[in-house]
Amino acid sequence: HIHIIDAELMGKGEKEKKRAVAGGLLLVLGIAQSVSAGTTTVTYHVDPSYMVLVPANTTIPFNEESVNYGKIRVEEAQIEEGKCIQVELISDKKLKNQSGKEGEIPYEILADTTAFTKARYTTAGEETVLGITIDRESWKKAPSGSYADTVIFQISYVDATD
């Protein structure tokens, strides 16, 4: 556009050329402003994710009535509003004699002083410290041998209101 205007202004005064060039630029800018605009929406979805640490295998020393079992700890949590992470303990809470002999040693898994069955978590860093207790009488009644039990920590993503 400017080259055409310059060609038309040959022989005119410098002041007139500047006005005409400025007018030509305004014309170009006016055309650019008449372009229509649209809108778009940018969306992103974060899937829920979480990482929960549970106690590792542990050995209970003979005749110990109370031992630290570790803790359940939420390491990472990106969850939806109204949802939570539920950790439920599944066990018959009886150590069974592994040598094939008769014999069981009942025990409890506690969170503080209360039997632990399940807990709910919503944020990273939340934790529950667990302990195992075996009463003295149960130790005394147990035949010699190795004892074991399987403890399952079932982790679920559930509605917080259930």
Side-chain angles (χ1 to χ4, degrees), residues 71-162:
K71 59 187 166 187
I72 299 168
R73 180 174 169 79
V74 178
E75 288 293 311
E76 297 174 14
Q78 282 186 299
I79 62 174
E80 299 166 292
E81 190 172 323
K83 297 284 191 175
C84 66
I85 304 158
Q86 178 174 284
V87 179
E88 185 173 1
L89 184 138
I90 300 170
S91 172
D92 63 4
K93 299 179 188 160
K94 294 178 184 168
L95 296 167
K96 291 147 204 87
N97 193 315
Q98 300 298 292
S99 65
K101 297 179 187 176
E102 291 291 318
E104 293 181 335
I105 303 173
Y107 67 95
E108 283 293 328
I109 297 177
L110 305 176
D112 293 320
T113 58
T114 307
F116 181 83
T117 55
K118 67 181 172 182
R120 291 183 166 195
Y121 308 93
T122 56
T123 56
E126 287 183 283
E127 64 184 30
T128 302
V129 176
L130 301 174
I132 295 177
T133 61
I134 300 174
D135 67 57
R136 178 141 325 267
E137 289 306 309
S138 294
W139 277 122
K140 288 180 182 178
K141 293 178 189 175
S144 64
S146 294
Y147 290 78
D149 188 29
T150 300
V151 176
I152 298 169
F153 292 94
Q154 183 173 308
I155 302 169
S156 308
Y157 187 64
V158 299
D159 288 330
T161 57
D162 288 346

Side-chain angles (χ1 to χ4, degrees), residues 9-25:
L9 295 176
M10 291 286 203
K12 293 196 177 185
E14 196 61 37
K15 191 173 183 182
E16 290 172 339
K17 283 184 185 179
K18 286 182 182 175
R19 276 191 206 140
V21 171
L25 287 175

Side-chain angles (χ1 to χ4, degrees), residues 1-2 5 18-31:
H1 294 287
I2 294 173
I5 293 170
K18 286 182 182 175
R19 276 191 206 140
V21 171
L25 287 175
L26 287 176
L27 177 65
V28 172
L29 292 176
I31 293 170

Side-chain angles (χ1 to χ4, degrees), residues 24-42:
L25 287 175
L26 287 176
L27 177 65
V28 172
L29 292 176
I31 293 170
Q33 289 177 351
S34 68
V35 174
S36 63
T39 61
T40 62
T41 302
V42 178

